Structures are given as C-alpha cells and as structure tokens.
Amino acid sequence: MAAPHPLSALSARETNLARDIVKASHPGALLFFRQSYLFEPPKEEVLRFLELEHSGALTTSSPRPDRCAQVFYDVIGGDQKSQYYESVVDVTKRSIVAQEIISEEHQASLTTAEFDIVVESCKRSKMFQDKLKEIKLPEGFETVIEPWPYGAPDLEDGNTRYFQALVFARDARKGQDSNFYAYPMPLIPVMDAATKEIIRIDEPATGGKGDSLTDKTYAAGAIDHCQSAEYVPELLPNGTRKDLKPLMVVQPQGPSFSITEGNLIQWQKWRMRVTFNPREGAVIHDIRYDGRPVLYRLSISDMTVPYADPRPPYHRKQAFDFGDGGLGHCVNNLTLGCDCLGVIKYFDGVLTDADGTAQESKNVICLHEQDNGIGWKHTDWRTGRAVVTRRRELVIQFIITLANYEYVFNYKFDQAAGIVVEARATGIVSVVNMDPGKTAPWGNVVSPGALAQNHQHVFCVRIDPSIDGNENTVVQEESLPLRMDKRTNPNGNMYEVRQTHITTSQGIDAAPFNNRVFKVQNLNKLNRVSGKPVGYKITPPATQLLLADPNSTQAKRALFAKKHFWVTKYKDHELFAGGRYTLLSKSEVGGVSDAADRCDDVLNQDVVCWSVFGLTHNPRVEDWPVMPVEMLQLHISPSDFFTGNPALDVPSDKDVASRLTSGCCKEEGPKL
C-alpha cells in the first residue's frame, strides 16, 4: 500500500489505530472520545516534501513528515468526574508524542451524544415536566426539545459545564415532518453536564416594546395563538408550483476535472488537494495554477452568531458554530441531483463515535462544474466579429445543519485564476414565544406568537498564501482623490493609488469609499510586463462587524469579529480565529487577536491573512418559515501575477443544445 500523502485526511484504519494507542495509555480507565483527525505536519517539513513532489524527484524512499492524529477525549474517574485530554499520536511509530490535560477554564467541544443527554434529562426531570403542564398544550401536540450551547456564561456560572435547550411543540397529527418551530414555548431548561440533571428552568419574558425585560407574562395556553407554518412539500396547503419546467445540467463527455490519489484535484490548470475535518469542514491545500504556487491552505476558520435580544437568558445566546462542537456531526450527506448538479464527485469524511471508533460519513463534500455566465467578451464594431467565452467554475461545496440554520460553503475556482469563497445562510430563523399583539425592537414577529430575534452571522476565512513562494508581503492599496495642482493634476481628473506595506501583524478595517484592497505580493519576483511584484488581490467584503458593546461578554469572546482583515505571521497549528476553545468561553484566547498582538514582523515573511465578514440579519416575514439564501462572497484574484488574461485560451464554442423558443409552454425540449 502506498504511503498516504502528508496532506490527506486520516483513514478509518489510522483513526482506529490512534484510538487503540490512546486507550492503551490509560489502562482500566473509561474514555469518552470527542474528535480525532489529522494533526497536520509542520509546514517546513511539508514544503520540503512538496518541493520533491512538484520537481518530479519524489521516490518511495524520500523522507516524509510523521503521520499523526490529534485525539480529543475525556478520562472519566471513579467519581464520574472527568479530565479533558488532547493527545498527538504518531500512527506510523505507534506512539503518543504529545499529551496535555486541558485546564478547567477551557471547555471541550460538545458532542451530539451530550445533546442526546440533554433531551433525556428533560424527559426525566420532574421540574421540567411540571412546567410543561402549566403550558397546557393543545390536543394532538407533543413537546420537542432542541439542545443548544449555553452561550456566553454569566459571572456566577463559574467554569461549570452547562447546556440549555429551546422548547417547541409539534402538531403530531401531521407527522414527524411538521414544522415545530412555529410553536415556541417560553421555557429554557438548563442542564449541568457533570450531574446530567436539569438544575433550573429559565422562563424568559414574552412581552414586547415597553414591557419589562424580566417579568413573566405568559399564561396557560401560551402557544394557542401560534399558527401552523409548514415547508415540507406534501404539507403545503396549496402544494408546489406546477408551471416549472426541468432545467438539466448535461455534460455528455463527462467532467473536465480529474481526481487521483484520493484527494488530488486537477482542473483547467488548477491543482489542489481537498481534505475534510470535523472542525473546519472542507480544507483546500497546496493550491497551484499552471504549476505556480498560489495558496498553501484555505479554510473557513470560524464563525459566531450573537443574538441581540436583551432579555435574560437571551443575552447569553451566542453560538460559535465551528468551535463549540465542530461541524463534523452536523455536516450534510449530500444527495445526487439536489445539492449539486451535473456530473458530481463526492468525497467522504471520517468521524468518530464516543468510543473512538471511526465512522465513515458519506458524501460530505461535493465537487462539480458550473456555468456562471459570460467569462469575457469583445465585439469589434467595425467587423461585427464577437468573441465570447463562458465563465466556468469548479465548485467544492459542503453544507452544515446546526439545529434551525443551514450554511452552504463553496470554494469556487475559475479559468481566469480567480478564487471565490462563498457563504450562504438559509434554514429557519430562531424564534421565541411572543405575547399576542406585541412587537419588539429586538426582533420581528414572523408568524403569530413567533418572534425572530435580531442577530448576526460573522464568518472568518483563513488564507495562507504562497505567491510564487512563502516569503510574501501584504500591501494595503487605496484609491484616493487628489486636489487640483497646476503642475501634476491641472484638470483635477487624476486620483492617487496609494500603497502601504503592512510591516507588523495587525487587524485592519475595510474602507469601501477608499476602495481598500489587500495585495499579497512576492517582492522578490517582478512581473516582466508591469515591473511590479507578482501578487494576488484580496477584496474583503465591507460588511458590518460585531455590534455588541466592547465591554460585553459577547464581544470579548469574539475579538476576531472587530476587524475586517488581519495579517499575522505563520505559526504551526494556529488555525482558529476565535481560539481553540469557544464553548462557554468568557473571552477569546489564542485567537487571531492574540496572534496580531505579538506585533511580529510580516514584511517579506511567511504570512497568513484572515478575512472577516458578516451578515446582520434583522428578520423579515419573508424569511419564514424557511429563509431564502443570503449570500456573501470573498474574492481572491491575480494581480500582476500573469503577463495577460489567463483565460484568453478558453474556447469560445457555441452551446449546440441552446435553441430559440416562441414562449409557448408546450414546446418540446431538446433531443440529447
């Protein structure tokens, strides 16, 4: 069997081997496994390997980085108290090379098994069941428990590991697919993870503008004024549209991409490797165009979703959807012909269950091509000759479902050597119970009795560039007005393009009115046409950032969300903008803000760029019961990297399947 590539995910065999090695290091102990995935080798070692690989000098005897797994687990003592461990296991040498007991000030990421415990604890809690009886559900309704992270803890919470749950009711007469979110109940049970007991029931206020933020106002029959809101096709009152004709993506000669070595993708001069891990989802490695290195690593580093309802306990409501529990067990197993269209290649992932056994998760990443309109076009008006090409993209996609919300993440590569990182939000807005006839400044009533709270989604993309090598410099470029000057700007039409080298690690705001962009350049290599350093341009989306007061716990635990763009010096395993430990955190520790505070020299160094952008979501009625996608895009484009348009050689072939129509709805489709 060929040795795995250093930039390939752990196999099920390697994952199980790491489990066995960890178990052997704790004889007789009860272990609870949380995650296990590739511990990426030091970058310096990988670069030496890649140099051999891309020069054609790699042989079976060439040195390879150690193959290691990082394993996250609890060791549970006789008193049922647990200690959280993180171990690095060399699966080739079959030994533990690093092991750490994590301080109690940090919480391990949650697992779906713990969420199951929350549900069971609610079912057996007399305190909770008594509160349910006070609500007096309508006939035919049943209770639905939806576990949530506890969020931003209050001072008196200490370091206790708490979970909470939102509570809804479902009309069981309509079956298991009926939308229970339409019937939110004003009860939030809180569970102590150590005792697995419900310790209290928070009862949030259900009033609105002008009412107390803390007083209980609901009474028996709290969901009687709520209204059904179905979205499953067979439950829609009027069914689905009948006038929509099929639109098929047909590739009669197959795709233009190829897959070798399990995860090596080649398409239209692009070459890259893709892996999946339960913390970041799809990660793209060693990205090259026409043989030239562009990026060493590209990933979704973090995201946070803070809610803006000031009423206790909603002030705690803030999720870190990547850091709190990882997204491994929330990732969708994608379906052919639904989530991706055309000729599809799926990649599987490896997850672990509570005893550390590897579980294959099918179809967690899909790869496909798509048409995105015109790529480039010009018509010579003198001759009437038009040349036009289509903009074809290679798309690497994964989707996660986190309770009510879905997120669709796409990495798009085009034929002009551009990269787009796209985040789409959809799913069901988080709603809470609202008294009849009330409105509130912290949300919008999207259905009778259901208030959708104002909130934000703040994402961070980590970009590890290698622009023709790993010694790169980030340049801030702005376009600024110039005053008239008799000598240099006599007619006032000139503007200044001002470039500022970023010399120390820092966070920077976007400035759309200055057209502020960031160019990652290799100062050691000049473009032979322009004479400027070769580079790639990053255009950070100039969106609103975190709105919570800087002194709030929400803001302190998401410091990455205070700047649009960060530049830091590379450090092995510094991957997460919000820090490694976000669950129940009180402040951001070890995140990008701490990395920037080192004030490292980043001039002509191995640098990392972090792009932060967000969606401020003040819900609309049109977001109910399932919201249309909201989309954000980050663009990474060549800037003096080439000597001309790299897509100039894309064929301008006609689509022979296209045809005219008179608009008659009865015309036959094309014969394929």
Side-chain angles (χ1 to χ4, degrees):
M1 179 185 297
H5 193 279
L7 298 177
S8 63
L10 291 182
S11 66
R13 183 191 67 81
E14 290 173 313
T15 303
N16 288 335
L17 179 58
R19 171 206 61 194
D20 294 342
I21 294 168
V22 165
K23 281 186 172 181
S25 73
H26 299 280
L30 177 62
L31 304 187
F32 178 83
F33 287 83
R34 296 184 177 276
Q35 293 179 347
S36 180
Y37 57 95
L38 180 70
F39 186 71
E40 293 183 17
K43 187 176 186 179
E44 186 177 342
E45 295 180 18
V46 177
L47 290 176
R48 286 198 294 266
F49 179 91
L50 294 179
E51 185 177 355
L52 292 174
E53 179 184 29
H54 294 297
S55 67
L58 186 66
T59 68
T60 54
S61 61
S62 297
R64 290 173 175 264
D66 292 336
R67 187 80 173 153
C68 293
Q70 49 188 338
V71 187
F72 309 93
Y73 58 98
D74 297 343
V75 177
I76 302 172
D79 57 359
Q80 294 301 301
K81 291 191 68 174
S82 63
Q83 286 186 307
Y84 174 51
Y85 279 71
E86 295 183 0
S87 294
V88 177
V89 180
D90 188 321
V91 295
T92 303
K93 299 174 182 175
R94 303 194 175 204
S95 63
I96 293 179
V97 296
Q99 191 171 80
E100 182 181 4
I101 301 175
I102 305 304
S103 165
E104 289 186 358
E105 69 178 296
H106 299 305
Q107 296 283 349
S109 61
L110 62 85
T111 68
T112 53
E114 288 178 299
F115 272 4
D116 291 340
I117 293 171
V118 174
V119 175
E120 292 304 314
S121 297
C122 288
K123 289 179 179 178
R124 68 170 186 267
S125 168
K126 184 178 184 303
M127 182 195 311
F128 178 65
Q129 295 302 323
D130 287 346
K131 284 293 180 183
L132 276 181
K133 291 175 184 176
E134 295 178 12
I135 298 289
K136 295 184 179 178
L137 295 183
E139 184 179 351
F141 279 71
E142 62 186 10
T143 303
V144 177
I145 308 296
E146 184 153 277
W148 262 67
Y150 189 70
D154 294 318
L155 185 63
E156 59 269 22
D157 291 325
N159 293 323
T160 305
R161 188 176 179 87
Y162 289 128
F163 290 100
Q164 63 182 353
L166 305 183
V167 184
F168 302 89
R170 174 168 48 212
D171 188 345
R173 297 166 298 185
K174 294 183 179 180
Q176 291 298 301
D177 289 328
S178 182
N179 181 17
F180 56 83
Y181 290 108
Y183 300 94
M185 289 196 267
L187 301 175
I188 299 180
V190 176
M191 186 192 82
D192 184 326
T195 64
K196 300 181 177 58
E197 298 293 336
I198 301 300
I199 60 163
R200 71 173 189 269
I201 311 295
D202 289 337
E203 298 180 77
T206 52
K209 183 178 181 180
D211 294 329
S212 168
L213 298 181
T214 56
D215 289 348
K216 169 185 168 181
T217 56
Y218 76 88
I223 66 168
D224 288 352
H225 61 299
C226 296
Q227 181 176 298
S228 174
E230 304 296 353
Y231 61 90
V232 174
E234 58 268 26
L235 294 179
L236 293 176
N238 300 314
T240 57
R241 303 179 188 188
K242 304 297 188 291
D243 59 348
L244 189 64
K245 301 295 181 65
L247 192 160
M248 294 178 288
V249 178
V250 179
Q251 295 177 271
Q253 297 179 28
S256 297
F257 58 76
S258 66
I259 310 296
T260 55
E261 301 178 28
N263 74 334
L264 174 60
I265 301 169
Q266 296 184 79
W267 177 83
Q268 294 293 289
K269 302 184 183 181
W270 284 107
R271 186 185 195 275
M272 67 199 78
R273 291 182 182 271
V274 61
T275 61
F276 174 86
N277 73 62
R279 173 71 186 246
E280 301 163 286
V283 179
I284 320 298
H285 309 263
D286 190 25
I287 302 170
R288 295 171 181 253
Y289 188 90
D290 205 13
R292 297 171 66 185
V294 176
L295 303 179
Y296 177 75
R297 193 180 193 274
L298 181 63
S299 65
I300 311 294
S301 173
D302 240 319
M303 65 175 292
T304 187
V305 185
Y307 282 78
D309 189 333
R311 300 171 299 172
Y314 299 129
H315 68 287
R316 291 198 318 262
K317 194 174 179 182
Q318 179 184 21
F320 287 78
D321 290 323
F322 282 55
D324 281 352
L327 49 85
H329 290 282
C330 303
V331 71
N332 287 194
N333 302 109
L334 304 173
T335 304
L336 188 65
C338 297
D339 299 300
C340 307
L341 302 181
V343 180
I344 309 300
K345 165 64 181 176
Y346 288 115
F347 297 90
D348 300 333
V350 175
L351 305 175
T352 51
D353 60 19
D355 72 357
T357 302
Q359 301 290 336
E360 187 176 62
S361 187
K362 303 291 290 184
N363 301 356
V364 296
I365 299 171
C366 72
L367 174 73
H368 65 107
E369 297 173 281
Q370 69 181 21
D371 179 272
N372 193 10
I374 290 175
W376 62 263
K377 178 177 182 176
H378 180 64
T379 301
D380 187 331
W381 62 270
R382 299 165 186 82
T383 65
R385 173 68 187 274
V387 182
V388 59
T389 67
R390 304 296 298 178
R391 178 187 174 99
R392 192 182 298 195
E393 297 172 332
L394 182 75
V395 183
I396 299 171
Q397 175 178 280
F398 69 100
I399 304 173
I400 57 175
T401 298
L402 296 146
N404 52 300
Y405 257 113
E406 265 80 11
Y407 297 99
V408 182
F409 295 103
N410 291 314
Y411 300 99
K412 299 181 178 181
F413 299 84
D414 65 42
Q415 293 158 303
I419 304 170
V420 174
V421 183
E422 180 182 272
R424 298 188 180 202
T426 180
I428 299 177
V429 289
S430 184
V431 294
V432 297
N433 191 273
M434 187 75 170
D435 292 342
K438 295 288 187 177
T439 62
W442 49 78
N444 193 29
V445 177
V446 293
S447 184
L451 177 81
Q453 297 159 311
N454 297 338
H455 59 285
Q456 295 182 280
H457 309 258
V458 185
F459 305 89
C460 181
V461 175
R462 182 181 181 275
I463 308 159
D464 187 347
S466 57
I467 307 300
D468 269 347
N470 288 282
E471 292 183 353
N472 292 163
T473 297
V474 179
V475 178
Q476 175 184 290
E477 181 179 282
E478 298 178 293
S479 300
L480 304 172
L482 283 177
R483 298 178 67 87
M484 280 190 178
D485 182 279
K486 289 183 179 180
R487 184 175 60 86
T488 60
N489 190 22
N491 297 298
N493 61 309
M494 181 182 174
Y495 61 85
E496 176 191 5
V497 179
R498 181 180 299 172
Q499 293 194 332
T500 305
H501 288 69
I502 306 301
T503 59
T504 57
S505 56
Q506 59 186 277
I508 309 167
D509 289 322
F513 293 110
N514 292 348
N515 192 47
R516 181 177 289 172
V517 298
F518 297 92
K519 293 185 176 180
V520 184
Q521 297 180 336
N522 188 327
L523 302 183
N524 305 308
K525 295 190 177 182
L526 302 182
N527 185 294
R528 63 181 173 85
V529 176
S530 68
K532 297 178 179 178
V534 298
Y536 258 70
K537 177 179 69 174
I538 301 172
T539 306
T543 62
Q544 198 164 38
L545 296 178
L546 195 72
L547 289 170
D549 187 282
N551 293 315
S552 68
T553 304
Q554 272 193 357
K556 290 177 181 177
R557 63 201 300 255
L559 297 178
F560 77 89
K562 68 181 182 180
K563 295 290 182 181
H564 289 98
F565 196 76
W566 299 83
V567 181
T568 63
K569 189 173 182 178
Y570 177 85
K571 185 178 180 182
D572 282 334
H573 306 119
E574 194 168 68
L575 301 173
F576 311 126
R580 182 176 289 278
Y581 309 102
T582 62
L583 186 70
L584 287 156
S585 64
K586 300 178 182 67
S587 60
E588 181 181 299
V589 177
V592 68
S593 180
D594 284 346
D597 285 347
R598 293 195 298 260
C599 296
D600 290 329
D601 176 16
V602 292
L603 187 65
N604 211 24
Q605 299 286 335
D606 190 355
V607 299
V608 178
C609 301
W610 315 69
S611 180
V612 180
F613 48 90
L615 163 66
T616 298
H617 192 180
N618 303 324
R620 314 165 294 159
V621 174
E622 290 82 359
D623 290 329
W624 187 256
V626 180
M627 63 178 282
V629 293
E630 294 268 3
M631 183 171 63
L632 294 166
Q633 291 185 330
L634 166 68
H635 292 262
I636 307 170
S637 312
S639 180
D640 292 337
F641 192 73
F642 301 100
T643 56
N645 178 358
L648 204 63
D649 58 352
V650 173
S652 55
D653 299 334
K654 288 185 177 180
D655 177 17
V656 296
S658 295
R659 63 193 181 92
L660 293 172
T661 179
S662 64
C664 176
C665 60
K666 295 183 179 180
E667 291 191 23
E668 294 183 0
K671 301 295 190 295
L672 299 175

